[in-house]
Amino acid sequence: MLIRLHRARQRLAEIEEPSPPLSLIAQDASLSLGHFIRRFTAVFGETPHQFRTRIRLERAKELLALSEDSVTDICMSVGFSSLGSFSWLFSRHFGEPPSDCRQRLYPSIALPGHGQSHITPGCMSLMVGAWARSQFSRSTSVKDQLG
């Protein structure tokens, strides 16, 4: 039964339109809808609907940070049909409206062709530092060998 529930969870995590109804996902898991909801909640700690909504909200947050699409376009692309409901759920889940989240996240990420960022990710600093050290050690060892 756990394997069927895991497969159902994977299917719920897919953001596709139109979303398959829970009754179809329950049927694919060989469970009645009520039993599916109870078992899913017992195993994963949230209802299938709560899980699907959370996954969509998390995907929307990623898109707000990484794309220039409008909040409305993002809302629709992750499977919500009402901007008002989406904004309310987003605010409730993340503690801020989607537009505020975008203002906070979007400028802090350097995207190719989108100007210079004022924040450099730490991994990039480490990589540049390692490259510079390797260039320095290579140039000094050549000088030492030449003379």
Side-chain angles (χ1 to χ4, degrees), residues 125-140:
S125 299
L126 291 172
M127 288 171 45
V128 169
W131 179 82
R133 283 190 299 277
S134 70
Q135 295 299 314
F136 177 76
S137 64
R138 189 176 302 145
S139 66
T140 57

Side-chain angles (χ1 to χ4, degrees), residues 15-17 56 59-60 63 67 69-81:
I15 298 176
E16 59 184 67
E17 285 301 318
R56 289 178 175 187
R59 177 65 181 141
L63 292 173
S67 79
D69 294 344
S70 70
V71 173
T72 302
D73 289 342
I74 290 171
C75 162
M76 300 300 167
S77 73
V78 297
F80 290 95
S81 57

Side-chain angles (χ1 to χ4, degrees), residues 33 36 40 44 50 70 84 97 99 107 130:
L33 179 58
F36 171 69
F40 189 97
F44 298 114
Q50 290 168 334
S70 70
S99 55

Side-chain angles (χ1 to χ4, degrees), residues 55-68:
I55 293 298
R56 289 178 175 187
L57 290 171
E58 289 170 359
R59 177 65 181 141
K61 186 175 182 180
E62 290 174 16
L63 292 173
L64 287 167
L66 298 173
S67 79
E68 292 181 351

